[in-house]
Coordinates of all heavy atoms in Angstrom, one line a residue:
M1 N 66.1 -12.3 127.7 CA 66.6 -12.7 129.0 C 68.2 -12.5 129.1 O 68.9 -12.9 128.2 CB 66.3 -14.2 129.2 CG 67.0 -14.8 130.3 SD 66.6 -16.6 130.4 CE 68.2 -17.2 130.7
K2 N 68.6 -11.8 130.1 CA 70.0 -11.5 130.3 C 70.6 -12.8 131.1 O 70.1 -13.1 132.1 CB 70.3 -10.3 131.1 CG 70.0 -9.0 130.3 CD 71.1 -8.6 129.5 CE 70.9 -7.3 128.7 NZ 72.0 -6.9 128.0
S3 N 71.7 -13.3 130.5 CA 72.3 -14.4 131.1 C 73.4 -14.0 132.0 O 73.9 -12.9 132.0 CB 72.8 -15.4 130.1 OG 73.9 -14.8 129.5
T4 N 73.9 -14.8 132.9 CA 75.1 -14.6 133.7 C 76.3 -14.5 132.7 O 76.5 -15.3 131.9 CB 75.3 -15.7 134.7 OG1 74.2 -15.8 135.5 CG2 76.5 -15.4 135.6
F5 N 77.1 -13.4 132.9 CA 78.2 -13.2 132.0 C 79.5 -13.8 132.7 O 79.7 -13.6 133.8 CB 78.4 -11.7 131.7 CG 79.6 -11.5 130.8 CD1 79.5 -11.8 129.5 CD2 80.7 -11.0 131.4 CE1 80.7 -11.5 128.7 CE2 81.8 -10.7 130.6 CZ 81.8 -11.1 129.2
I6 N 80.2 -14.4 131.8 CA 81.6 -15.0 132.3 C 82.7 -14.0 132.0 O 82.9 -13.7 130.8 CB 81.8 -16.4 131.7 CG1 80.7 -17.3 132.0 CG2 83.2 -16.9 132.1 CD1 80.7 -18.6 131.2
Q7 N 83.3 -13.5 133.0 CA 84.4 -12.5 132.8 C 85.6 -13.3 132.2 O 85.9 -14.3 132.5 CB 84.8 -12.0 134.2 CG 85.8 -10.8 134.2 CD 85.1 -9.5 134.0 OE1 83.8 -9.4 134.1 NE2 85.8 -8.5 133.6
N8 N 86.2 -12.6 131.2 CA 87.3 -13.2 130.6 C 88.3 -12.0 130.0 O 87.9 -10.9 130.1 CB 87.0 -14.2 129.5 CG 86.2 -13.5 128.3 OD1 86.5 -12.4 127.9 ND2 85.2 -14.2 127.8
D9 N 89.3 -12.4 129.4 CA 90.3 -11.5 128.9 C 89.7 -10.6 127.9 O 90.3 -9.4 127.6 CB 91.5 -12.2 128.3 CG 92.4 -12.9 129.3 OD1 92.2 -12.5 130.4 OD2 93.2 -13.7 128.9
N10 N 88.6 -11.0 127.2 CA 88.0 -10.1 126.1 C 87.1 -9.0 126.7 O 86.4 -8.4 125.9 CB 87.2 -11.0 125.2 CG 88.2 -11.9 124.4 OD1 88.0 -13.1 124.4 ND2 89.1 -11.3 123.8
T11 N 87.0 -8.9 128.0 CA 86.2 -7.9 128.5 C 86.9 -6.6 128.9 O 86.3 -5.6 129.4 CB 85.5 -8.3 129.9 OG1 86.5 -8.8 130.8 CG2 84.5 -9.5 129.6
H12 N 88.2 -6.5 128.6 CA 88.9 -5.3 128.8 C 90.1 -5.2 127.8 O 90.6 -6.2 127.3 CB 89.4 -5.1 130.2 CG 90.4 -6.1 130.6 ND1 91.8 -5.9 130.4 CD2 90.3 -7.3 131.2 CE1 92.4 -7.0 130.9 NE2 91.6 -7.8 131.4
T13 N 90.6 -4.0 127.7 CA 91.9 -3.7 127.0 C 92.8 -3.1 128.1 O 92.4 -3.1 129.3 CB 91.7 -2.7 125.9 OG1 91.5 -1.3 126.4 CG2 90.5 -3.1 125.0
A14 N 93.9 -2.6 127.7 CA 94.8 -2.0 128.7 C 94.2 -0.6 129.2 O 94.7 -0.1 130.2 CB 96.2 -1.7 128.1
F15 N 93.2 -0.1 128.5 CA 92.7 1.2 128.8 C 91.2 1.2 129.2 O 90.8 2.1 130.0 CB 92.8 2.1 127.5 CG 94.2 2.2 127.1 CD1 94.6 1.5 126.0 CD2 95.1 3.1 127.7 CE1 96.0 1.5 125.5 CE2 96.4 3.1 127.3 CZ 96.9 2.4 126.1
V16 N 90.4 0.4 128.6 CA 88.9 0.5 128.9 C 88.4 -0.9 129.3 O 89.0 -1.9 128.9 CB 88.1 1.0 127.8 CG1 88.4 2.5 127.6 CG2 88.4 0.3 126.5
Q17 N 87.3 -1.0 130.1 CA 86.7 -2.3 130.4 C 85.3 -2.3 130.2 O 84.6 -1.2 130.3 CB 87.1 -2.6 131.9 CG 86.5 -1.7 132.9 CD 87.0 -1.9 134.3 OE1 87.8 -2.8 134.5 NE2 86.4 -1.2 135.3
L18 N 84.7 -3.4 129.9 CA 83.3 -3.6 129.7 C 82.6 -4.2 130.9 O 83.1 -5.2 131.4 CB 83.2 -4.5 128.5 CG 81.7 -5.1 128.2 CD1 80.9 -4.0 127.7 CD2 81.8 -6.3 127.3
N19 N 81.5 -3.6 131.2 CA 80.6 -4.2 132.2 C 79.4 -4.9 131.4 O 78.5 -4.3 131.0 CB 80.0 -3.1 133.1 CG 78.9 -3.7 134.1 OD1 78.7 -4.9 134.1 ND2 78.4 -2.9 134.9
A20 N 79.7 -6.1 131.1 CA 78.8 -6.9 130.2 C 77.3 -6.8 130.7 O 76.4 -6.9 129.8 CB 79.3 -8.2 130.0
S21 N 77.1 -6.8 131.9 CA 75.7 -6.9 132.4 C 75.0 -5.6 132.1 O 73.7 -5.5 132.1 CB 75.6 -7.2 133.9 OG 76.3 -6.2 134.7
A22 N 75.7 -4.5 131.8 CA 75.1 -3.3 131.5 C 75.0 -3.0 130.0 O 74.3 -2.1 129.6 CB 76.0 -2.1 132.1
C23 N 75.6 -3.9 129.2 CA 75.6 -3.7 127.8 C 74.2 -4.2 127.3 O 73.7 -5.2 127.5 CB 76.7 -4.6 127.2 SG 76.7 -4.6 125.4
T24 N 73.6 -3.2 126.4 CA 72.3 -3.5 125.9 C 72.4 -3.9 124.4 O 71.4 -4.1 123.7 CB 71.4 -2.2 125.9 OG1 72.0 -1.2 125.1 CG2 71.3 -1.8 127.3
A25 N 73.7 -4.1 123.9 CA 73.9 -4.6 122.5 C 73.3 -3.6 121.5 O 72.7 -4.0 120.5 CB 73.3 -6.0 122.3
C26 N 73.6 -2.3 121.7 CA 73.2 -1.2 120.8 C 74.2 -1.2 119.6 O 73.9 -0.5 118.7 CB 73.0 0.0 121.5 SG 74.6 0.8 122.0
W27 N 75.4 -1.6 119.9 CA 76.4 -1.7 118.9 C 77.1 -0.4 118.6 O 77.9 -0.3 117.6 CB 76.1 -2.4 117.6 CG 75.3 -3.8 117.7 CD1 74.2 -4.1 117.0 CD2 75.6 -4.9 118.5 NE1 73.8 -5.3 117.4 CE2 74.6 -5.9 118.3 CE3 76.6 -5.1 119.5 CZ2 74.6 -7.1 118.9 CZ3 76.5 -6.4 120.2 CH2 75.5 -7.3 119.9
K28 N 76.8 0.7 119.3 CA 77.4 2.0 119.0 C 78.9 2.0 119.2 O 79.6 2.7 118.4 CB 76.7 3.0 119.9 CG 75.3 3.3 119.8 CD 75.0 3.9 118.5 CE 73.5 4.2 118.3 NZ 73.2 4.6 116.9
C29 N 79.4 1.3 120.2 CA 80.9 1.3 120.4 C 81.6 0.6 119.3 O 82.7 1.0 118.9 CB 81.1 0.6 121.7 SG 80.5 -1.1 121.8
I30 N 81.0 -0.4 118.6 CA 81.6 -1.1 117.5 C 81.7 -0.1 116.3 O 82.8 0.0 115.7 CB 80.8 -2.3 117.0 CG1 80.6 -3.3 118.1 CG2 81.3 -2.9 115.8 CD1 79.7 -4.4 117.8
E31 N 80.7 0.7 116.1 CA 80.7 1.6 115.0 C 81.8 2.7 115.1 O 82.4 3.1 114.2 CB 79.3 2.3 114.8 CG 78.2 1.3 114.5 CD 76.8 1.9 114.7 OE1 76.7 3.1 114.9 OE2 75.9 1.1 114.8
I32 N 82.0 3.1 116.4 CA 82.9 4.3 116.6 C 84.3 4.0 116.8 O 85.2 4.8 116.7 CB 82.3 5.1 117.8 CG1 82.8 6.6 117.6 CG2 82.7 4.6 119.1 CD1 81.9 7.6 118.4
C33 N 84.6 2.7 117.2 CA 86.0 2.4 117.5 C 86.9 2.4 116.2 O 86.5 1.7 115.3 CB 86.0 0.9 118.1 SG 87.8 0.4 118.3
P34 N 87.9 3.2 116.2 CA 88.7 3.4 115.0 C 89.6 2.2 114.7 O 90.1 2.2 113.6 CB 89.5 4.7 115.2 CG 89.5 4.8 116.7 CD 88.4 4.1 117.3
N35 N 89.7 1.4 115.7 CA 90.7 0.3 115.5 C 90.1 -1.2 115.5 O 90.9 -2.1 115.6 CB 91.8 0.4 116.6 CG 92.4 1.7 116.6 OD1 92.9 2.2 115.5 ND2 92.6 2.4 117.7
E36 N 88.8 -1.2 115.3 CA 88.1 -2.6 115.2 C 88.6 -3.5 116.3 O 88.8 -4.7 116.2 CB 88.5 -3.2 113.9 CG 88.0 -2.3 112.7 CD 88.3 -3.0 111.3 OE1 89.2 -3.8 111.2 OE2 87.6 -2.6 110.4
V37 N 88.6 -2.9 117.6 CA 88.9 -3.7 118.7 C 87.6 -4.5 119.2 O 87.7 -5.6 119.6 CB 89.2 -2.7 119.9 CG1 89.4 -3.5 121.2 CG2 90.5 -2.0 119.5
I38 N 86.4 -3.9 119.0 CA 85.2 -4.4 119.6 C 84.3 -5.1 118.5 O 84.3 -4.6 117.4 CB 84.4 -3.2 120.2 CG1 85.2 -2.4 121.1 CG2 83.2 -3.8 121.0 CD1 84.6 -1.0 121.5
D39 N 83.6 -6.2 118.9 CA 82.7 -6.8 118.0 C 81.6 -7.5 118.8 O 81.7 -7.6 120.0 CB 83.4 -7.8 117.1 CG 82.8 -8.0 115.8 OD1 81.6 -7.6 115.6 OD2 83.5 -8.5 114.9
K40 N 80.6 -7.9 118.0 CA 79.4 -8.6 118.7 C 79.7 -9.9 119.2 O 80.6 -10.6 118.7 CB 78.3 -8.7 117.6 CG 77.9 -7.4 117.0 CD 76.9 -7.5 115.9 CE 76.5 -6.2 115.3 NZ 75.5 -6.3 114.2
S41 N 79.0 -10.3 120.3 CA 79.1 -11.6 120.8 C 77.7 -12.1 121.2 O 76.9 -11.3 121.6 CB 79.9 -11.5 122.1 OG 80.0 -12.8 122.8
F42 N 77.5 -13.3 120.9 CA 76.2 -14.0 121.1 C 76.3 -15.2 122.0 O 77.2 -16.1 121.6 CB 75.5 -14.3 119.8 CG 75.3 -13.1 118.9 CD1 76.3 -12.9 117.9 CD2 74.3 -12.2 119.0 CE1 76.1 -11.8 117.1 CE2 74.1 -11.1 118.2 CZ 75.1 -10.9 117.2
L43 N 75.5 -15.4 122.9 CA 75.4 -16.6 123.7 C 74.2 -17.4 123.3 O 73.1 -16.9 123.4 CB 75.4 -16.3 125.2 CG 75.3 -17.6 126.1 CD1 76.6 -18.4 126.0 CD2 75.2 -17.1 127.6
Y44 N 74.5 -18.6 122.8 CA 73.4 -19.5 122.3 C 73.1 -20.6 123.3 O 74.0 -21.2 123.9 CB 73.8 -20.2 121.0 CG 73.9 -19.3 119.8 CD1 75.1 -18.6 119.6 CD2 72.8 -19.0 119.0 CE1 75.2 -17.8 118.4 CE2 72.9 -18.2 117.9 CZ 74.2 -17.6 117.6 OH 74.3 -16.7 116.5
V45 N 71.8 -20.9 123.4 CA 71.4 -22.2 124.1 C 70.4 -22.8 123.2 O 69.4 -22.2 122.8 CB 70.8 -21.9 125.5 CG1 70.2 -23.2 126.1 CG2 71.9 -21.4 126.5
A46 N 70.7 -24.0 122.8 CA 69.8 -24.8 121.9 C 69.5 -24.0 120.6 O 68.3 -23.8 120.3 CB 68.6 -25.2 122.7
N47 N 70.6 -23.4 120.0 CA 70.4 -22.6 118.8 C 69.6 -21.4 118.9 O 69.2 -20.8 117.9 CB 69.8 -23.5 117.7 CG 70.8 -24.6 117.3 OD1 72.0 -24.5 117.2 ND2 70.2 -25.8 117.0
T48 N 69.3 -21.0 120.1 CA 68.6 -19.8 120.4 C 69.5 -18.7 121.1 O 70.2 -19.1 122.0 CB 67.3 -20.0 121.2 OG1 66.6 -21.0 120.6 CG2 66.6 -18.7 121.5
V49 N 69.5 -17.5 120.5 CA 70.4 -16.5 121.2 C 69.6 -16.1 122.5 O 68.6 -15.6 122.4 CB 70.5 -15.2 120.3 CG1 71.2 -14.1 121.0 CG2 71.2 -15.6 119.0
I50 N 70.4 -16.2 123.6 CA 69.8 -15.8 124.9 C 70.4 -14.6 125.4 O 69.9 -14.0 126.4 CB 69.8 -17.0 125.9 CG1 71.2 -17.3 126.2 CG2 69.0 -18.2 125.4 CD1 71.3 -18.1 127.5
H51 N 71.5 -14.2 124.8 CA 72.2 -13.0 125.3 C 73.1 -12.4 124.2 O 73.8 -13.1 123.5 CB 73.2 -13.4 126.5 CG 73.8 -12.2 127.1 ND1 73.1 -11.2 127.7 CD2 75.1 -11.8 127.2 CE1 74.0 -10.3 128.2 NE2 75.2 -10.6 127.9
E52 N 73.1 -11.1 124.1 CA 73.9 -10.4 123.1 C 74.6 -9.3 124.0 O 74.1 -8.6 124.8 CB 73.0 -9.6 122.1 CG 72.2 -10.5 121.2 CD 71.3 -9.6 120.4 OE1 70.4 -9.0 120.9 OE2 71.4 -9.7 119.1
Q53 N 75.9 -9.1 123.5 CA 76.7 -8.1 124.1 C 77.9 -7.8 123.2 O 78.0 -8.5 122.1 CB 77.2 -8.5 125.5 CG 78.1 -9.8 125.4 CD 78.7 -10.2 126.7 OE1 78.0 -10.6 127.6 NE2 80.0 -10.0 126.8
V54 N 78.8 -7.0 123.6 CA 80.0 -6.8 122.9 C 81.2 -7.4 123.6 O 81.1 -7.7 124.8 CB 80.4 -5.4 122.5 CG1 79.4 -4.7 121.6 CG2 80.5 -4.5 123.8
L55 N 82.3 -7.7 122.9 CA 83.5 -8.1 123.6 C 84.7 -7.4 122.9 O 84.6 -6.9 121.7 CB 83.7 -9.6 123.5 CG 82.9 -10.5 124.3 CD1 83.1 -12.0 124.0 CD2 83.1 -10.2 125.8
M56 N 85.8 -7.2 123.6 CA 87.0 -6.6 123.1 C 87.8 -7.7 122.5 O 88.7 -8.3 123.1 CB 87.8 -6.0 124.3 CG 87.0 -5.1 125.1 SD 86.4 -3.6 124.2 CE 85.7 -2.6 125.6
Y57 N 87.6 -8.0 121.2 CA 88.2 -9.2 120.5 C 89.6 -8.9 120.2 O 90.4 -9.9 120.1 CB 87.4 -9.5 119.3 CG 86.1 -10.3 119.6 CD1 84.9 -9.7 119.5 CD2 86.2 -11.6 119.9 CE1 83.7 -10.5 119.7 CE2 85.1 -12.4 120.2 CZ 83.8 -11.8 120.1 OH 82.8 -12.5 120.3
D58 N 90.0 -7.7 119.9 CA 91.4 -7.4 119.5 C 91.9 -6.3 120.5 O 92.3 -5.2 120.0 CB 91.4 -7.0 118.1 CG 92.7 -7.4 117.5 OD1 93.7 -7.7 118.2 OD2 92.8 -7.4 116.2
A59 N 92.1 -6.7 121.7 CA 92.4 -5.7 122.8 C 93.8 -5.0 122.5 O 94.0 -3.9 122.9 CB 92.4 -6.4 124.2
S60 N 94.7 -5.7 121.8 CA 96.0 -5.2 121.6 C 96.0 -4.0 120.7 O 96.9 -3.2 120.6 CB 96.9 -6.3 121.0 OG 96.5 -6.7 119.7
K61 N 94.9 -3.8 119.9 CA 94.9 -2.7 119.0 C 94.3 -1.4 119.7 O 94.2 -0.4 119.1 CB 93.9 -3.0 117.9 CG 94.5 -4.0 116.9 CD 93.5 -4.1 115.7 CE 94.0 -5.1 114.6 NZ 93.0 -5.3 113.6
C62 N 93.9 -1.5 120.9 CA 93.2 -0.4 121.6 C 94.3 0.6 121.9 O 95.3 0.4 122.5 CB 92.6 -0.8 122.9 SG 91.8 0.5 123.8
T63 N 94.0 1.9 121.6 CA 94.9 3.0 121.8 C 94.5 3.9 123.0 O 95.1 4.9 123.3 CB 94.9 4.0 120.6 OG1 93.7 4.4 120.3 CG2 95.5 3.2 119.4
G64 N 93.3 3.5 123.6 CA 92.8 4.3 124.8 C 92.1 5.6 124.4 O 92.1 6.5 125.2
C65 N 91.6 5.7 123.2 CA 91.0 7.0 122.8 C 89.7 7.3 123.5 O 89.3 8.4 123.5 CB 90.7 6.9 121.2 SG 89.4 5.8 120.8
T66 N 89.1 6.3 124.1 CA 87.9 6.4 124.9 C 86.6 6.7 124.1 O 85.6 7.0 124.6 CB 88.0 7.3 126.1 OG1 88.0 8.7 125.7 CG2 89.2 7.0 127.0
K67 N 86.7 6.7 122.8 CA 85.5 6.9 122.0 C 84.4 6.0 122.3 O 83.2 6.3 122.3 CB 85.9 6.9 120.5 CG 86.7 8.0 120.0 CD 87.0 8.0 118.5 CE 87.8 9.2 118.1 NZ 88.2 9.1 116.6
C68 N 84.7 4.7 122.6 CA 83.7 3.7 122.9 C 83.0 4.1 124.2 O 81.8 4.0 124.3 CB 84.3 2.3 123.0 SG 85.7 2.3 124.1
M69 N 83.7 4.5 125.1 CA 83.2 4.9 126.4 C 82.2 6.1 126.3 O 81.2 6.1 126.9 CB 84.4 5.3 127.3 CG 84.1 5.3 128.8 SD 85.5 5.5 129.8 CE 85.7 7.3 129.8
Q70 N 82.6 7.1 125.5 CA 81.8 8.2 125.3 C 80.5 7.9 124.5 O 79.5 8.5 124.7 CB 82.6 9.3 124.6 CG 83.8 9.9 125.4 CD 84.7 10.7 124.5 OE1 84.3 11.7 123.8 NE2 86.0 10.4 124.6
A71 N 80.6 6.9 123.6 CA 79.5 6.6 122.8 C 78.5 5.7 123.5 O 77.3 5.7 123.2 CB 80.0 5.8 121.6
C72 N 78.9 5.1 124.6 CA 78.0 4.2 125.3 C 77.0 5.0 126.2 O 77.5 5.6 127.2 CB 78.8 3.2 126.1 SG 77.7 2.0 126.9
K73 N 75.7 4.9 126.0 CA 74.7 5.6 126.7 C 74.4 4.9 128.0 O 73.5 5.3 128.7 CB 73.5 5.9 125.9 CG 73.7 6.6 124.6 CD 74.4 7.9 124.8 CE 74.6 8.7 123.5 NZ 75.6 9.8 123.6
F74 N 74.9 3.7 128.2 CA 74.5 2.8 129.3 C 75.6 2.6 130.3 O 75.5 1.7 131.1 CB 74.0 1.5 128.7 CG 72.9 1.7 127.7 CD1 73.2 1.7 126.3 CD2 71.6 1.8 128.1 CE1 72.1 1.9 125.4 CE2 70.6 2.0 127.2 CZ 70.9 2.1 125.8
D75 N 76.7 3.4 130.2 CA 77.8 3.3 131.1 C 78.3 1.9 131.2 O 78.7 1.4 132.3 CB 77.4 3.8 132.5 CG 77.1 5.3 132.4 OD1 77.7 6.0 131.6 OD2 76.2 5.8 133.2
A76 N 78.3 1.2 130.1 CA 78.8 -0.2 130.1 C 80.4 -0.3 129.9 O 81.0 -1.3 130.1 CB 78.1 -1.0 129.1
I77 N 80.9 0.9 129.5 CA 82.4 0.9 129.2 C 83.0 2.0 130.1 O 82.5 3.1 130.1 CB 82.8 1.1 127.8 CG1 82.2 0.0 126.8 CG2 84.2 1.2 127.5 CD1 82.4 0.2 125.4
S78 N 84.0 1.7 130.8 CA 84.7 2.6 131.7 C 86.2 2.5 131.6 O 86.7 1.6 131.0 CB 84.2 2.4 133.2 OG 84.5 1.1 133.5
I79 N 86.9 3.3 132.3 CA 88.3 3.3 132.3 C 88.8 1.9 133.0 O 88.2 1.6 134.1 CB 88.9 4.4 133.1 CG1 88.6 5.7 132.4 CG2 90.5 4.3 133.2 CD1 89.2 5.9 130.9
Y80 N 89.7 1.3 132.4 CA 90.2 0.0 133.0 C 91.0 0.2 134.3 O 91.9 0.9 134.3 CB 91.0 -0.8 132.0 CG 91.5 -2.1 132.5 CD1 90.7 -3.1 133.0 CD2 92.9 -2.4 132.5 CE1 91.1 -4.3 133.5 CE2 93.4 -3.6 133.0 CZ 92.4 -4.6 133.5 OH 92.9 -5.7 134.0
K81 N 90.5 -0.5 135.4 CA 91.3 -0.5 136.6 C 91.6 -1.9 137.0 O 90.7 -2.7 137.1 CB 90.3 0.2 137.7 CG 89.9 1.6 137.5 CD 89.2 2.1 138.6 CE 88.7 3.5 138.3 NZ 87.4 3.6 137.7
Q82 N 92.9 -2.1 137.2 CA 93.3 -3.5 137.5 C 93.1 -3.8 138.9 O 93.0 -3.0 139.8 CB 94.9 -3.6 137.2 CG 95.2 -3.7 135.7 CD 96.6 -3.9 135.5 OE1 97.5 -3.3 136.1 NE2 96.9 -4.9 134.6
Ligands
LIG101 S1 77.7 1.2 123.3 FE1 77.6 0.3 125.4 S2 75.5 -0.7 125.4 FE2 76.0 -0.4 123.3 S3 77.0 -2.3 122.6 FE3 78.7 -0.9 123.2 S4 79.0 -1.4 125.4 FE4 77.0 -2.3 124.8
LIG102 S1 89.4 3.1 123.7 FE1 89.3 3.7 121.4 S2 90.6 2.1 120.4 FE2 90.1 1.3 122.5 S3 88.3 0.0 122.3 FE3 87.5 2.1 122.8 S4 87.2 3.2 120.8 FE4 88.4 1.4 120.4

């Protein structure tokens, strides 16, 4: 079950942004990011995982290489637009 996602500072860097509702938690972007910007995120309810996605945990390390965007087959990562 996909839950409602709460937008926060960890959903984008200065260069790329995450559409969490499109994220299927395949983790490809984590593997390809050279700067360890992205990591797994889990939403629990009563000790049960009800939603998985990624978050930009260390956005300050993002260089804008767009490798994550190219690796995502679900168009969940795009160029950041303020
Ligand atoms: S590659 Fe795309 S679908 Fe896969 S975890 Fe990253 S953002 Fe989510
Ligand atoms: S643009 Fe590059 S450095 Fe930034 S999160 Fe994506 S893969 Fe990592």
Side-chain angles (χ1 to χ4, degrees):
M1 171 183 134
K2 288 274 184 182
S3 67
T4 302
F5 178 74
I6 299 168
Q7 190 83 15
N8 63 38
D9 287 346
N10 295 121
T11 55
H12 67 86
T13 72
F15 303 100
V16 292
Q17 64 188 6
L18 168 72
N19 175 0
S21 61
C23 178
T24 63
C26 73
W27 312 138
K28 295 292 184 193
C29 56
I30 298 173
E31 295 164 16
I32 206 161
C33 178
N35 300 315
E36 299 180 337
V37 173
I38 311 166
D39 209 343
K40 298 176 183 178
S41 177
F42 304 95
L43 178 61
Y44 292 87
V45 171
N47 295 323
T48 301
V49 175
I50 63 163
H51 181 65
E52 297 175 296
Q53 63 177 67
V54 291
L55 285 176
M56 309 296 190
Y57 280 108
D58 209 344
S60 65
K61 288 185 181 174
C62 177
T63 59
C65 70
T66 72
K67 287 182 179 177
C68 55
M69 198 172 85
Q70 294 169 51
C72 183
K73 305 299 182 200
F74 304 94
D75 294 329
I77 301 178
S78 56
I79 297 296
Y80 178 55
K81 298 185 183 85
Q82 285 186 313

